[in-house]
Amino acid sequence: MESCTEDLPLMANTNHVLVKHYGLDLDVCFDTQTIRGSIVLFLEPNTRNKDGSPVVEDCQSQLSEHSGNDQTHGINQTCAVPVRTCSSNSGNKDSADCDIGERDTSPKCDHHGNRKQASGITSSENCCDRGNHGSEDFVLVLDCCDLSVLKVEEVDVTAVLGTEKCMSSSQTIDNSKEHLSLSACILSEIEALPESQWKEQLFNYTKCSRAPGCGDLMFIMDKWSLRISKAGIKMPTNFPSAIRIWYQTTTNGSSVKWTKDQSGRHCVYTIGSPINNRALFPCQEPPVAMSTWHATIQAACEFVVLMSGENCATPYSSCEGFFSWFYYVTMPMPASTFTIAVGCWEEIKENSSCNIKTSDLSTPLYINNGSRLKEQKCKHMEYPCRFSLPEACAQAIIPHRVFASHVLFKQCSEVLLPLVSPCLEAAHAVLGTHPFPRLDILVVPSNFSSLGMASPHIIYLSQSVLYGSNHLCATRLCHEIAHAWFGLVIGARDWTEEWISEGFATHLEDVFLANVQKLPQEEARDQQKLKALLRWRRLTDELKDSQEELQILRPHGENTGKVNESGASVVRHGLNAEKTFMQVHYLKGYFLLRSLANTTGQDAYFAFLRQFVNTCHGQLILSKDFLHMLFESVPELNRQHLCVQAIYEIWLDTPGIPQPLLGESRTWKGCRLVQQVNEEVLKWIRFDQRNKKCSRRKRPHTEEFDEKGSQAREWTYTLLKTLPLGSGSKRHSMEIVINTHTVRRTQQAVQSSVKIKTKNNILYIYNVQNSCN
């Protein structure tokens, strides 16, 4: 596909083969700052007709041919424990067991227990050229960058799961094609297990990931991809169904950050890089490649491993001085959502004064299939889904934990921890069922370049949100929690449509926050108008100084969601450094949704949004999917002479300020709270002018800061600290323009954690307790 140097290529040929499950077995080594080990990819040919029906031969008949009447014994129905053996870099030690265990049904989560060459080529010998058809060998293409790949091998899954009995009842299989067919059918049977047997499926994947290799595969590595082939295999249907890649990360890789926490102790974590996880493990990056995974991570015993996982992992001793942590995910997710953080994190626990509804936390998260909601028929691929469980639907507060460096313990206890339950409860009140069964929140090191980042089962927060009033912390927490619905369980099929994730989260954060604050409707409306005005100013400033092509929410236009014959595509402007610091997708998306909600009516809009979540969870969508469903469900929009095409033209496909905003923005200035904030700023200006007249002696002006203006003053302080970073911005400085006045703030009028500078009629406010902001 056509692309330029600032576009991010998605190279994986997902139209030929899909990864159904990843099995990772990795060691984290802080001495060398590498993550090394192996990853097993369980593959399935993506061979479907245009109508979506499969064209491959029925695997059950092939299993019957090889195993007679005992074909079902090829799948182990008894859940055992995965075994973690220390790798060679840790020495030869005894192995240890880690129980897969039940899904997390307890009221509390388990505690952890007091390039290679960027432009060069790495390859195996005699690697074949890329090709998918004809006389050339088929090539599996994976997204990969800045990894040192050591070896690629085929995995013999027939050596495990008791398939010896099946094979002994048939003729000796010498033909490699027949052997491969049996392996593929075994894995197909594992994949086909019903959701009620998720534990058996997970066990079998874990068992197969430890199966021995049965022959090296040829590979070649370039800047953006790893290409794997097997001599004589011409079609993806005959390609090995399980492969193992031995590799290690490199110092050039930007998927993870090696650093020190606020206590000066070593840590490493995924940072939400523009290249996502391709420098952490070879994978299929396109969002259509939805997969499950399990991972065994080994680290020195003083470290805690947090990860995207449905279980609260309990560490077990894998060898002397090392612990292993086992996590798994049974909901198919894009590989880009995989997150890991390894450090000397400490858990900040709830105390008795925290207002938590223990009845909600004690509700079982997963129950037997017979109690599922009969009226809820999910449209996604089959997996154990919370949306069809009545207990999960009623669970307003999911189990959660908070982790941070030891020096942040006090701030987390006082500011963050009391907010988690109210924010989760507010989100549930608006959108319904929490998509994920648990949540970890980690306050990441100070070099984290954003205020927050959401991944399945784990949220990163910047330490910046812990200082000052709790408004910034609550706002950011609401934003990241909103991503569980929009961005994770409902994702964009084309990554260029970022507004589907960020616009929704920005709009919902205000709604959640008003619910947390228990504001009357009028106060909530005033608060939202004030924030709308501030976002409007930020948007207009940003659009003045940015390229027009970066202001378009749907840069692919009518080609949005389209890929080439192999499934490869590009993320337009995905590597553009300027785009990294822009908020246009947040803000224009927010204003579009705000406009639709106002036109529809708040009650009707959020009733539709809840219906949309119930219908589309577990799926990938485009803008058109949301808009068409909205217009079909809310006839009022048609009576307002709106249509989907008009929204494309006004909001999504055009740079600059959408025309409807120009008129609406004038009305926000008349808001009561906006006027109060303006009056408060004028007091600061008068206070500053008086101080200039008194060069040697300061006169107290307490009458200027009486209790009458406390609400406006609190909002002014808060908004000065929160506005510029806004909803997910990655800017490193905090600045705000207040009309055309130069304001010099004195220590009496500002919190001690804030430093003020003025330059060229701009008031700069810095959080001095954060090295980044």
Side-chain angles (χ1 to χ4, degrees):
M1 299 185 69
E2 294 184 5
S3 64
C4 60
T5 55
E6 66 178 25
D7 295 338
L8 175 66
L10 303 178
M11 305 295 291
N13 51 347
T14 54
N15 278 355
H16 299 150
V17 173
L18 287 173
V19 179
K20 304 302 292 183
H21 186 87
Y22 295 95
L24 295 97
D25 190 358
L26 302 174
D27 295 336
V28 179
C29 182
F30 284 94
D31 292 338
T32 60
Q33 291 194 347
T34 58
I35 298 175
R36 54 194 177 192
S38 66
I39 181 172
V40 175
L41 280 62
F42 297 96
L43 308 171
E44 180 179 86
N46 190 9
T47 51
R48 291 184 175 272
N49 294 316
K50 292 183 179 180
D51 62 358
S53 60
V55 297
V56 294
E57 183 181 357
D58 179 28
C59 284
Q60 183 63 47
S61 61
Q62 295 184 38
L63 279 174
S64 299
E65 179 182 345
H66 285 293
S67 59
N69 296 325
D70 297 325
Q71 69 270 20
T72 56
H73 296 296
I75 304 299
N76 192 318
Q77 301 296 320
T78 304
C79 183
V81 295
V83 177
R84 177 66 163 87
T85 303
C86 289
S87 58
S88 58
N89 62 73
S90 302
N92 295 323
K93 308 293 182 181
D94 295 334
S95 62
D97 296 338
C98 173
D99 192 358
I100 290 177
E102 299 289 340
R103 277 180 171 264
D104 192 358
T105 60
S106 62
K108 298 179 181 180
C109 299
D110 294 336
H111 182 49
H112 57 82
N114 299 326
R115 276 187 194 241
K116 209 160 182 176
Q117 302 85 348
S119 59
I121 293 179
T122 303
S123 66
S124 62
E125 297 180 0
N126 303 319
C127 183
C128 63
D129 295 332
R130 179 171 183 249
N132 297 321
H133 303 289
S135 60
E136 296 178 331
D137 290 338
F138 170 76
V139 175
L140 172 67
V141 183
L142 300 174
D143 293 295
C144 183
C145 178
D146 296 325
L147 290 177
S148 176
V149 177
L150 309 175
K151 179 183 178 181
V152 181
E153 63 182 358
E154 182 178 355
V155 177
D156 182 13
V157 299
T158 64
V160 296
L161 300 174
T163 55
E164 298 86 353
K165 182 176 181 180
C166 299
M167 297 178 63
S168 63
S169 62
S170 63
Q171 299 178 356
T172 302
I173 303 175
D174 296 323
N175 186 287
S176 61
K177 182 176 180 180
E178 291 184 357
H179 167 78
L180 179 62
S181 177
L182 179 58
S183 298
C185 290
I186 291 173
L187 292 176
S188 179
E189 287 294 295
I190 295 175
E191 174 64 24
L193 286 173
E195 60 182 79
S196 60
Q197 294 179 268
W198 65 268
K199 189 189 297 187
E200 287 82 357
Q201 184 183 68
L202 174 62
F203 166 77
N204 288 318
Y205 273 135
T206 306
K207 188 79 171 179
C208 287
S209 68
R210 298 195 303 272
C214 58
D216 291 354
L217 300 176
M218 295 176 286
F219 68 91
I220 186 171
M221 188 174 177
D222 57 28
K223 181 177 180 179
W224 291 112
S225 66
L226 172 63
R227 304 166 186 267
I228 303 169
S229 62
K230 181 177 181 179
I233 299 300
K234 310 298 183 183
M235 298 295 292
T237 50
N238 297 326
F239 195 77
S241 53
I243 62 172
R244 180 183 289 113
I245 302 171
W246 298 89
Y247 74 97
Q248 66 180 29
T249 60
T250 67
T251 54
N252 297 327
S254 58
S255 292
V256 297
K257 181 70 174 179
W258 299 87
T259 185
K260 291 184 179 180
D261 65 14
Q262 292 85 348
S263 300
R265 296 179 291 187
H266 291 286
C267 61
V268 60
Y269 64 100
T270 47
I271 56 174
S273 167
I275 67 168
N276 297 310
N277 285 322
R278 65 181 71 187
L280 176 59
F281 59 90
C283 58
Q284 290 183 328
E285 282 274 72
V288 296
M290 309 268 278
S291 58
T292 55
W293 60 74
H294 73 268
T296 302
I297 309 297
Q298 179 176 262
C301 57
E302 64 266 28
F303 292 101
V304 174
V305 178
L306 302 177
M307 210 184 86
S308 304
E310 295 167 12
N311 60 314
C312 294
T314 301
Y316 60 94
S317 179
S318 51
C319 52
E320 185 177 354
F322 289 87
F323 280 163
S324 286
W325 306 69
F326 180 79
Y327 286 94
Y328 60 83
V329 167
T330 61
M331 177 193 297
M333 302 285 292
S336 59
T337 63
F338 181 96
T339 302
I340 185 172
V342 183
C344 298
W345 323 120
E346 294 190 20
E347 183 181 357
I348 295 89
K349 292 192 173 185
E350 313 264 13
N351 55 44
S352 57
S353 63
C354 293
N355 184 22
I356 294 182
K357 295 185 177 180
T358 55
S359 60
D360 286 340
L361 290 176
S362 62
T363 302
L365 299 180
Y366 296 95
I367 55 179
N368 63 63
N369 220 32
S371 300
R372 293 188 174 275
L373 294 175
K374 298 186 183 300
E375 63 273 16
Q376 178 67 48
K377 295 183 179 179
C378 300
K379 296 184 178 181
H380 51 69
M381 65 182 74
E382 189 175 16
Y383 66 82
C385 178
R386 288 172 51 84
F387 282 80
S388 58
L389 300 175
E391 282 80 358
C393 294
Q395 188 178 35
I397 303 173
I398 57 175
H400 52 272
R401 304 181 296 180
V402 174
F403 291 86
S405 170
H406 176 73
V407 298
L408 298 176
F409 195 96
K410 183 175 183 292
Q411 290 91 334
C412 289
S413 298
E414 296 177 353
V415 178
L416 174 57
L417 197 58
L419 289 172
V420 180
S421 291
C423 289
L424 288 171
E425 191 171 24
H428 179 271
V430 176
L431 294 179
T433 308
H434 287 282
F436 302 106
R438 68 175 197 94
L439 176 65
D440 283 341
I441 299 173
L442 172 65
V443 179
V444 288
S446 58
N447 58 1
F448 184 57
S449 61
S450 180
L451 280 182
M453 186 177 79
S455 300
H457 318 101
I458 185 170
I459 286 175
Y460 291 169
L461 288 180
S462 166
Q463 65 179 26
S464 298
V465 306
L466 300 178
Y467 297 96
S469 69
N470 64 2
H471 185 276
L472 174 58
C473 186
T475 301
R476 173 49 47 180
L477 189 56
C478 286
H479 182 97
E480 302 306 334
I481 288 174
H483 276 310
W485 286 269
F486 290 95
L488 295 175
V489 76
I490 299 176
R493 187 151 59 89
D494 189 319
W495 276 343
T496 60
E497 292 198 306
E498 296 174 57
W499 81 271
I500 292 177
S501 173
E502 300 301 348
F504 274 96
T506 305
H507 186 229
L508 287 167
E509 76 178 48
D510 292 353
V511 181
F512 292 176
L513 184 61
N515 194 304
V516 170
Q517 296 172 311
K518 308 297 183 185
L519 294 178
Q521 286 190 358
E522 183 178 355
E523 288 189 26
R525 281 195 297 267
D526 285 348
Q527 177 175 299
Q528 291 172 11
K529 287 180 181 179
L530 175 59
K531 298 187 78 171
L533 176 61
L534 295 169
R535 288 173 178 143
W536 155 261
R537 292 179 177 177
R538 167 54 56 131
L539 179 61
T540 53
D541 288 343
E542 186 166 285
L543 296 182
K544 290 176 184 177
D545 302 324
S546 60
Q547 304 173 39
E548 283 195 350
E549 58 185 6
L550 298 181
Q551 303 173 12
I552 301 174
L553 300 192
R554 206 172 64 134
H556 286 156
E558 294 303 319
N559 292 321
T560 300
K562 294 183 179 179
V563 298
N564 70 8
E565 184 273 338
S566 71
S569 62
V570 296
V571 179
R572 190 68 68 191
H573 311 299
L575 298 176
N576 186 310
E578 180 183 354
K579 182 175 179 294
T580 304
F581 296 99
M582 291 185 65
Q583 295 186 61
V584 64
H585 289 82
Y586 297 73
L587 299 177
K588 286 182 73 173
Y590 156 79
F591 282 118
L592 169 57
L593 296 171
R594 176 184 167 85
S595 175
L596 291 173
N598 289 338
T599 303
T600 304
Q602 298 294 324
D603 293 341
Y605 174 79
F606 284 102
F608 160 77
L609 199 61
R610 192 157 179 159
Q611 174 193 352
F612 181 79
V613 168
N614 287 334
T615 301
C616 296
H617 67 273
Q619 301 175 70
L620 302 172
I621 65 168
L622 299 174
S623 297
K624 64 180 182 181
D625 300 319
F626 170 75
L627 293 174
H628 281 296
M629 185 172 174
L630 175 62
F631 275 77
E632 291 172 0
S633 302
V634 186
E636 177 64 25
L637 292 173
N638 296 299
R639 290 192 287 269
Q640 296 287 337
H641 305 292
L642 288 176
C643 65
V644 173
Q645 189 59 39
I647 291 178
Y648 288 160
E649 295 173 359
I650 296 173
W651 291 91
L652 302 182
D653 295 347
T654 306
I657 296 290
Q659 189 66 29
L661 272 184
L662 296 176
E664 186 183 5
S665 62
R666 300 187 188 100
T667 65
W668 299 328
K669 296 179 181 179
C671 170
R672 176 186 58 84
L673 190 56
V674 171
Q675 292 176 346
Q676 289 180 0
V677 171
N678 285 333
E679 292 172 1
E680 192 70 21
V681 173
L682 290 175
K683 289 181 182 179
W684 294 349
I685 296 171
R686 291 196 298 268
F687 186 82
D688 177 70
Q689 291 172 342
R690 291 171 182 173
N691 275 317
K692 287 181 180 178
K693 296 178 182 179
C694 303
S695 57
R696 294 187 178 182
R697 187 179 62 179
K698 295 182 179 180
R699 295 191 306 170
H701 296 285
T702 55
E703 71 277 4
E704 295 285 358
F705 299 97
D706 56 19
E707 291 301 317
K708 294 180 180 179
S710 60
Q711 181 187 17
R713 185 161 62 254
E714 179 183 354
W715 258 104
T716 307
Y717 294 159
T718 300
L719 292 169
L720 287 174
K721 294 180 69 178
T722 61
L723 167 66
L725 286 177
S727 302
S729 169
K730 296 182 180 178
R731 294 184 186 274
H732 286 227
S733 63
M734 303 177 73
E735 57 180 285
I736 183 172
V737 179
I738 303 181
N739 298 327
T740 59
H741 301 282
T742 302
V743 182
R744 180 171 59 85
R745 295 281 306 282
T746 62
Q747 190 63 34
Q748 292 97 323
V750 69
Q751 298 177 14
S752 60
S753 63
V754 175
K755 178 173 63 178
I756 291 83
K757 292 183 180 179
T758 59
K759 181 179 179 183
N760 298 330
N761 296 330
I762 297 178
L763 173 65
Y764 293 90
I765 300 182
Y766 299 87
N767 187 335
V768 298
Q769 299 186 16
N770 186 321
S771 59
C772 281
N773 299 328

